[in-house]
């Protein structure tokens, strides 16, 4: 599989810009391995990203890639997918990018159930700008803009996605890199809006400030705080406190947006043609 | 019935924009409702599918702007339409389109402001926003129609400039022109000059998406057509990848500006009317230029030597033309529905050779011929 995977990377662009111990490389690895499992066609796939450390990933992937503005990646991707529904479109975002500035685009992409695969690098912080709190920062966690700890309740990204209408919702971690690969693969195979949350570590802007140790310690933290979803379903809220479920959290079949629109265009054109023949126009 | 008679129609300015866009090859529209631009969305929702085109109502103006850039990169001619507050929201991604050189057209049917202002009332307060609305040094092309007929033809022109120069182009119209109804003659589609983006040949060993041709404009491949490439709003080299190299940045930003500023003869459109012997020149654009024409007719009867200069392209500003006129006119009068935005440019171009006087109104009403006539008589 190794060779199969390297072709998805722009190896001449490596080494990457991420800090030592950063989890983004593991997520990128999972994405490329998922491409391998999908036998992804590089000439019919577009990868879009927003702005943030994680969103730099598009620079390393050998596809048509689009590095957009902060928070707007899903809106750019919607334009691409609508223009060319036959293309596979992946959207890589940070937690701040997708749920802060881009929160509105996120819920509306989910509402439309447009066939995009959103992969969210959740490091609980605004990494690129140096560690400000994000809508996914855990309550009471420290950030440069929350020196005493955050007062705001965070989103549960998966619940948000599901509530807004996403039809595939999964969560993985960089500790469980193989599982993450599978989740991304399944998300991409799913027709509709798929959300894969990748819990990752930012030792520099988050870990240090929250005394979580280095990148390795943070990986162990992910191992200790995650519970496979099958098991999580059997636990009480009290038993799940401070923990999070990983795996495929939600999956549903629902009409997909570009499909519906393509059918609408066809019908409208057909009807128009018939009317022209009958001289109605 | 001859062809021309068949194609003469009564329509609204906003409707003419829709017709012009479709004739120019529009295949993707994304927008968010706002008065007085909404008819453009509504008409395209119904019309685009007939052409195999796509319409989407996005969640806001930022998303609409983003979506048309995405669709344009995927190969479709793309449009969004809005008014004042929505135009402000689009600015960040207009900057992206400028930096990433993505052709697209943005219609701004100007309305009263600042902020929500008088939503249904006309104004021309977005002149500077059309030029400097997004951050950084970027080129701008903005066209100002003064009739329904021109709403049609300048929409086609806007697409042509967008495609030719790989840049966002703004159609800066106003509520009066957008909503009024006039007779329009639609040219036969095969008589229309429609320009498409320059594409790189297939089979290049390596495609440089940002290597300019002689005209300063790089050839543009569609996503997933023949080449794989990267697009970013960061400063990038010719391969499209980011760099912080000072020389590359300087060269890129200058090229983006120069590809427009070196082609003023192609881009700058204007109308001169009764200016030959004029010693007073009215400089007016959009709806106000119509009041100006009426005022000029009456002033001529009263013996004033007065003419009209109408910038059709207001960005880049027709500096050369104004400079020439400033050598013959002792006075230039600039009536605008704002507190003097274009007047500043006229002053700059006239460089003290003519007196420049503003006739300004910001109450949501069109400037009347009488108000312009008064200003002429006072000279
Ligand atoms: C409109 C706008 N606002 C703010 C910024 C500054 N900014 C750049 S990256 C970033 C946060 C990124 O955080 P996140 O999305 O969580 O990604 P990470 O860097 O952690 O991967 C911000 C606020 C920007 N580029 N554009
Ligand atoms: S700041 Fe954090 S997220 Fe960004 S590269 Fe460094 S470790 Fe990774």
């Amino acid at each position: 599989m190794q060779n199969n995977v390297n072709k998805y990377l722009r190896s001449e662009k490596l080494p990457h810009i991420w800090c030592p111990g950063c989890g983004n490389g593991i997520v990128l690895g999972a994405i490329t391995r998922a491409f391998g499992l999908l036998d992804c066609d590089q000439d019919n796939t577009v990868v879009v990203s927003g702005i943030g450390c994680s969103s730099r990933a598009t620079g390393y992937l050998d596809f048509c890639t689009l590095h957009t503005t902060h928070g707007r990646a899903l809106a750019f991707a919607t334009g691409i997918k609508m223009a060319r529904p036959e293309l596979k479109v992946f959207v890589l975002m940070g937690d701040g990018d997708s749920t802060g500035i881009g929160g509105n685009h996120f819920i509306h992409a989910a509402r439309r159930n447009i066939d995009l695969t959103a992969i969210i690098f959740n490091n609980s912080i605004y990494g690129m700008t140096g560690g400000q709190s994000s809508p996914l920062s855990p309550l009471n966690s420290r950030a440069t803009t929350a020196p005493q700890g955050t007062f705001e309740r965070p989103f549960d990204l998966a619940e948000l996605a599901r509530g807004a209408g996403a039809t595939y919702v999964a969560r993985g971690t960089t500790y469980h890199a193989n599982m993450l690969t599978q989740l991304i693969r399944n998300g991409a195979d799913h027709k509709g809006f798929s959300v894969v949350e990748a819990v990752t570590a930012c030792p520099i802007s988050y870990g240090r400030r929250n005394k979580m140790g280095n990148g390795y310690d943070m990986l162990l933290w992910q191992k200790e705080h995650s519970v496979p979803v099958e098991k999580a379903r059997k636990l009480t809220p009290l038993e799940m406190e401070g923990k999070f479920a990983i795996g495929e959290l939600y999956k549903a079949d629902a009409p997909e947006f570009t499909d519906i629109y393509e059918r609408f265009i066809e019908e409208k054109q057909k009807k128009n043609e018939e009317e022209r023949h009958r001289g109605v126009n | 019935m001859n062809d021309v008679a068949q194609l003469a129609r009564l329509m609204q300015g906003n409707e003419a924009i829709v017709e012009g866009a479709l004739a120019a090859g529009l295949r993707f529209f994304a927008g968010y409702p706002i008065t007085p631009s909404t008819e453009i969305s509504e008409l395209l929702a119904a019309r685009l599918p007939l052409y195999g085109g796509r319409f989407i109502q996005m969640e806001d103006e930022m998303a609409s702007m983003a979506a048309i850039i995405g669709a344009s990169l995927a190969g479709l001619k793309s449009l969004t339409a809005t008014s004042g507050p929505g135009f402000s929201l689009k600015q960040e991604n207009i900057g992206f389109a400028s930096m990433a050189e993505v052709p697209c057209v943005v219609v701004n049917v100007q309305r009263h402001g600042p902020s929500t202002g008088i939503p249904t009332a006309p104004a021309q307060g977005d002149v500077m926003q059309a030029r400097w609305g997004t951050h950084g040094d970027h080129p701008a092309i903005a066209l100002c129609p003064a009739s329904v007929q021109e709403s049609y033809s300048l929409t086609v022109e806007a697409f042509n400039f967008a495609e030719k120069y790989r840049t966002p182009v703004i159609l800066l119209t106003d509520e009066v022109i957008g909503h009024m109804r006039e007779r329009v003659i639609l040219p036969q589609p095969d008589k229309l000059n429609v320009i498409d983006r320059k594409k790189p040949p297939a089979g290049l060993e390596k495609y440089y998406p940002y290597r300019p041709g002689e005209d300063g404009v790089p050839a543009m491949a569609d996503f997933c057509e023949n080449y794989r490439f990267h697009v970013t709003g960061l400063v990038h080299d010719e391969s499209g990848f980011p760099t912080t190299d000072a020389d590359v940045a300087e060269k890129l930003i200058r090229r983006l500006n120069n590809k427009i500023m070196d082609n003023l003869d192609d881009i700058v459109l204007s109308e001169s009317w009764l200016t030959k012997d004029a010693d007073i020149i009215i400089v007016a654009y959009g709806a106000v230029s119509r009041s100006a024409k009426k005022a000029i007719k009456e002033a001529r009867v009263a013996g004033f030597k007065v003419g009209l200069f109408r910038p059709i392209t207001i960005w880049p500003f027709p500096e050369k033309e104004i400079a020439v006129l400033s050598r013959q006119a002792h006075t230039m009068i600039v009536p605008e529905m704002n507190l003097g935005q274009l007047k500043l440019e006229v002053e700059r171009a006239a460089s003290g050779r003519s007196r420049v006087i503003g006739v300004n109104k910001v109450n949501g009403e069109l400037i009347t011929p009488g108000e312009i006539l008064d200003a002429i008589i006072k000279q």
Side-chain angles (χ1 to χ4, degrees):
Chain A
M1 205 170 80
Q2 199 56 32
N3 290 336
N4 195 5
V5 162
N6 280 345
K7 72 173 182 184
Y8 298 110
L9 288 171
R10 287 170 172 144
S11 43
E12 74 280 8
K13 298 291 165 198
L14 298 170
H16 57 65
I17 58 159
W18 295 313
C19 309
C22 176
N24 288 351
I26 302 177
V27 184
L28 184 64
I31 293 171
T32 49
R33 282 192 300 278
F35 286 151
L37 294 174
L38 290 158
D39 199 17
C40 186
D41 176 359
Q42 276 157 290
D43 295 316
N44 280 300
T45 302
V46 178
V47 190
V48 184
S49 65
I51 294 288
C53 295
S54 43
S55 280
R56 284 302 195 95
T58 41
Y60 309 124
L61 289 167
D62 195 9
F63 293 85
C64 275
T65 45
L66 175 60
H67 179 230
T68 67
T69 44
H70 191 34
R72 318 280 169 230
L74 282 167
F76 280 79
T78 298
I80 295 169
K81 183 70 186 176
M82 256 202 111
R84 303 266 297 279
E86 75 277 13
L87 300 180
K88 266 238 162 269
V89 183
F90 291 83
V91 188
L92 316 184
M93 295 169 285
D95 50 308
D97 193 65
S98 59
T99 69
I101 191 164
N104 202 29
H105 310 311
F106 182 75
I107 60 175
H108 288 279
R111 174 179 64 83
R112 292 186 186 104
N113 194 31
I114 184 166
D115 187 27
L116 304 170
T117 307
I119 301 164
I120 292 151
F121 295 55
N122 179 8
N123 60 6
S124 308
I125 201 84
Y126 285 70
M128 181 161 268
T129 38
Q132 299 78 21
S133 67
S134 127
L136 294 187
S137 296
L139 192 63
N140 300 325
S141 62
R142 278 171 205 261
T144 56
T145 47
Q148 310 301 321
T150 57
F151 309 118
E152 298 176 22
R153 291 188 305 163
F155 276 132
D156 179 324
L157 183 70
E159 287 296 320
L160 179 69
R162 181 182 170 164
T167 47
Y168 179 94
V169 181
R171 187 189 288 124
T173 82
T174 47
Y175 177 83
H176 307 85
N178 288 335
M179 182 204 278
L180 185 59
T181 304
Q182 286 298 337
L183 295 174
I184 294 169
R185 175 221 175 133
N186 294 350
D189 262 342
H190 175 82
K191 178 125 185 159
F193 189 62
S194 344
V195 177
V196 181
E197 175 183 351
V199 175
T200 175
C202 167
I204 302 304
S205 293
Y206 185 79
R208 234 176 0 154
R209 202 159 283 115
N210 286 285
K211 306 204 164 38
M212 293 182 74
N214 59 23
Y216 174 73
D217 298 324
M218 290 181 82
L219 279 173
L220 292 183
W221 181 94
Q222 291 168 16
K223 177 187 176 201
E224 280 152 20
H225 290 78
S226 54
V227 182
V229 62
E230 303 76 22
K231 189 174 163 202
R233 289 204 174 107
K234 292 182 197 127
L235 298 180
T236 63
L238 199 67
E239 287 167 320
M240 276 301 285
E241 196 155 301
K243 302 222 159 90
F244 56 89
I246 53 171
E248 264 175 25
L249 307 181
Y250 180 69
K251 206 173 158 181
D253 273 332
E256 190 275 327
F257 176 69
T258 58
D259 244 12
I260 298 171
Y261 198 77
E262 288 306 291
R263 250 180 290 136
F264 164 68
I265 294 180
E266 272 171 38
E267 275 165 30
K268 192 126 189 201
Q269 282 180 305
K270 211 166 89 196
K271 207 167 133 215
N272 196 49
E273 203 47 46
E274 285 165 9
E275 282 177 2
R276 215 196 312 263
H277 278 304
R278 293 208 315 270
V280 179
N281 274 2
Chain B
M1 229 198 294
N2 65 29
D3 289 346
V4 172
Q6 272 178 15
L7 291 171
R9 301 224 327 241
L10 179 73
M11 63 170 83
Q12 212 187 33
N14 283 348
E15 210 179 332
I17 290 170
V18 167
E19 295 303 328
L22 290 169
L26 174 75
R27 289 297 175 269
F28 185 84
F29 179 94
Y32 188 80
I34 184 167
T35 307
S37 74
T38 310
E39 293 85 3
I40 298 171
S41 272
E42 291 171 343
L43 288 165
L44 281 168
R47 295 286 303 281
L48 263 176
L50 296 174
Y51 293 73
R54 280 118 215 209
F55 168 93
I56 186 168
Q57 179 172 319
M58 292 299 285
E59 50 274 18
D60 57 37
E61 285 85 351
M62 295 167 281
S64 310
M65 191 64 216
I68 71 165
I69 295 171
S72 180
L73 284 165
L76 301 190
K77 289 193 182 177
S78 302
L79 174 76
T80 185
T82 189
S83 296
F87 192 50
S88 304
L89 290 180
K90 289 186 192 295
Q91 292 295 346
E92 183 197 26
N93 283 335
I94 291 175
F96 184 94
S98 191
M99 183 61 133
E101 298 183 72
V102 185
C104 54
V105 176
V106 180
V107 176
N108 176 7
V109 188
Q110 290 172 92
R111 64 183 228 175
H112 191 266
S115 191
T116 314
I118 308 175
T120 53
Q124 295 176 315
D126 302 346
V127 172
M128 285 298 168
Q129 193 185 181
R131 178 65 193 91
W132 296 113
T134 185
H135 61 287
D137 280 288
H138 59 89
I141 301 180
L143 308 173
C144 257
S147 65
V148 175
Q149 183 73 52
E150 255 187 13
S151 297
Y152 178 91
S153 60
L154 291 184
T155 302
V156 176
E157 206 61 66
F159 275 99
N160 285 349
F161 287 150
E163 295 284 316
K164 192 167 175 185
Y165 296 110
R166 277 190 73 171
T167 188
V169 174
I170 292 152
L171 188 76
L172 192 65
T173 176
D174 58 65
E175 191 275 338
V176 177
I177 303 295
H179 278 163
M180 87 184 167
R181 287 175 199 279
E182 282 185 316
R183 181 172 184 264
V184 174
I185 301 199
L186 301 182
Q188 294 288 359
D190 58 340
K191 297 266 166 15
L192 210 61
N193 174 34
V194 169
I195 297 174
D196 295 325
R197 63 194 65 167
K198 183 174 65 186
K199 296 236 172 139
L204 292 178
E205 200 156 303
K206 187 164 165 42
Y207 163 56
Y208 288 89
Y210 293 97
R211 177 168 291 173
E214 269 171 31
D215 55 359
V217 184
M220 182 176 179
D222 292 350
F223 266 1
C224 298
E225 191 189 27
N226 292 312
Y227 302 104
R228 295 202 281 267
F229 58 101
H230 186 56
V231 175
T232 177
L234 290 166
V235 163
H236 46 270
D237 60 19
E238 292 183 343
S239 72
F241 287 95
T243 170
T244 51
D245 184 295
D247 289 339
V248 174
E250 180 86 20
K251 235 175 96 186
L252 171 65
I253 305 303
R254 286 190 186 278
R255 177 176 67 75
L256 294 182
N257 277 274
N258 291 344
K259 73 180 177 181
I260 307 303
M261 298 314 285
D262 290 348
N263 288 293
L264 295 181
D265 290 345
D266 182 42
I267 299 168
V268 173
L269 310 169
S270 64
E271 180 196 356
S272 293
W273 186 66
L274 303 179
T275 53
K276 278 229 168 64
D277 65 339
D279 53 18
I280 300 175
I281 301 282
I282 314 288
V283 182
Y285 52 98
V288 174
S289 68
R290 299 168 73 107
S291 297
K293 279 197 174 169
K294 180 111 193 285
I296 289 166
K297 271 190 211 158
E298 287 173 22
R300 282 263 166 191
V301 172
F304 291 93
K305 284 193 203 157
V306 53
L308 172 76
F309 179 75
R310 179 168 71 92
I312 295 173
T313 305
I314 64 164
W315 302 116
F317 184 65
E319 262 172 68
K320 231 174 28 193
E321 292 76 359
I322 293 278
V324 169
L325 288 170
S326 71
R327 294 198 165 84
Q328 73 178 63
H330 58 73
T331 304
M332 293 193 168
I333 300 174
V334 190
E336 347 174 43
M337 290 185 277
N338 64 49
L339 291 180
Q341 297 193 16
L342 210 67
K343 177 175 169 255
L344 290 171
E345 290 296 306
V346 176
E347 266 169 355
R348 198 166 59 77
S351 305
R353 288 181 291 266
S354 315
R355 259 191 326 148
V356 181
I357 289 158
V359 176
N360 305 98
K361 206 163 161 181
V362 284
N363 64 352
E365 287 172 9
L366 182 60
I367 296 175
T368 63
E371 286 162 335
I372 298 170
L373 188 61
D374 281 349
I376 296 169
I377 291 168
K378 276 196 210 128
Q379 295 327 302

